[in-house]
Amino acid sequence: ALCTAPVAWAMRPVPEIDVATADLVARVADSDVTPYEGIFESRGGLRLPDLGRLEDELAPFTQTSRVRVWYAAPDTWRSDELLIGAERSVYRQPGGLWLWDSGTRRVVFSPREGTEPLRIPRLMDLNPAELGRRLLAEAEGEIVLRIADRWVAGQASVGLRILPRSETSTIEAAELWVDPDTGVVTAVEIETGGTAPAFETAFTSLRFR
């Protein structure tokens, strides 16, 4: 009974959520002001070329990562990649960005954060709340449909599916699940036509505070 209880709890029916798709998309766009904390896991299955010294930066797109995140505002947050016996942290403050690696015991500060025209992706970009908001912002003119709701990290989340109109798109679809009260995206799956998502990220724990 103890072993099956978590499975039964996760499979319980999601309560009916009455919210229009347009209203939900608008809430996602405004969700960058909602504070939260939690842990998310991302799994990448993308095939990328060998880029030499950028291998560590692109690893999250090809493997599994666990990240603890605290978010207060777009310019005030912290993310910690949880490693075996170590962590790599990013601290975003209004004055810039701090990078901390406990393995090398090295700190780097960048005062130009937010002004650079091009930068290397980081784990915070794969946060479901960040990635989902960006996908919907760039989906103007695409087809957005409702799909089955589901529980994510204890949150009853509304399902959305983005279908690109372009026949040359390398993405077949992107599926998102959204907390309807805050507009925070709790999970994202990107499909490219294979038997499993090419990339997925979801909160495993989440609290709005």
Side-chain angles (χ1 to χ4, degrees):
L2 290 175
C3 292
T4 58
V7 177
W9 180 253
M11 295 179 64
R12 69 195 188 280
V14 180
E16 185 175 350
I17 302 173
D18 185 15
V19 57
T21 301
D23 292 339
L24 191 64
V25 171
R27 292 180 195 181
V28 174
D30 296 335
S31 65
D32 61 340
V33 298
T34 301
Y36 60 85
E37 63 179 10
I39 296 176
F40 71 87
E41 290 188 0
S42 65
R43 297 181 181 86
L46 302 178
R47 296 181 179 179
L48 300 176
D50 183 6
L51 298 178
R53 67 182 184 88
L54 299 180
E55 181 179 353
D56 290 342
E57 285 78 4
L58 295 178
F61 295 92
T62 61
Q63 62 187 27
T64 299
S65 301
R66 293 183 69 242
V67 182
R68 187 186 301 275
V69 60
W70 296 262
Y71 181 92
D75 61 353
T76 310
W77 50 261
R78 169 186 171 183
S79 67
D80 290 355
E81 181 182 7
L82 305 178
L83 307 169
I84 298 177
E87 69 178 25
R88 284 194 289 263
S89 304
V90 180
Y91 297 77
R92 176 71 165 96
Q93 298 177 340
L97 193 78
W98 294 88
L99 306 176
W100 158 248
D101 189 326
S102 68
T104 60
R105 302 186 62 81
R106 182 169 180 248
V107 177
V108 177
F109 176 69
S110 171
R112 295 177 56 82
E113 169 65 18
T115 63
E116 63 274 59
L118 184 65
R119 65 171 174 82
I120 297 172
R122 53 174 173 257
L123 276 170
M124 189 63 172
D125 297 323
L126 306 183
N127 176 352
E130 297 292 313
L131 179 59
R133 188 169 60 248
R134 187 179 309 115
L135 285 171
L136 276 178
E138 297 177 356
E140 185 175 355
E142 311 291 3
I143 302 171
V144 180
L145 306 172
R146 288 285 295 271
I147 57 175
D149 304 339
R150 78 181 199 190
W151 294 99
V152 181
Q155 308 295 327
S157 302
V158 180
L160 294 176
R161 184 178 177 90
I162 304 173
L163 296 173
R165 292 183 183 275
S166 173
E167 296 181 356
T168 60
S169 174
T170 58
I171 294 177
E172 184 175 277
E175 295 184 346
L176 301 80
W177 285 267
V178 184
D179 175 72
D181 295 327
T182 63
V184 171
V185 178
T186 58
V188 176
E189 294 182 1
I190 297 177
E191 303 173 1
T192 57
T195 56
F199 181 83
E200 55 186 327
T201 179
F203 282 106
T204 57
S205 69
L206 178 63
R207 290 188 291 180
F208 297 106
R209 67 176 191 178

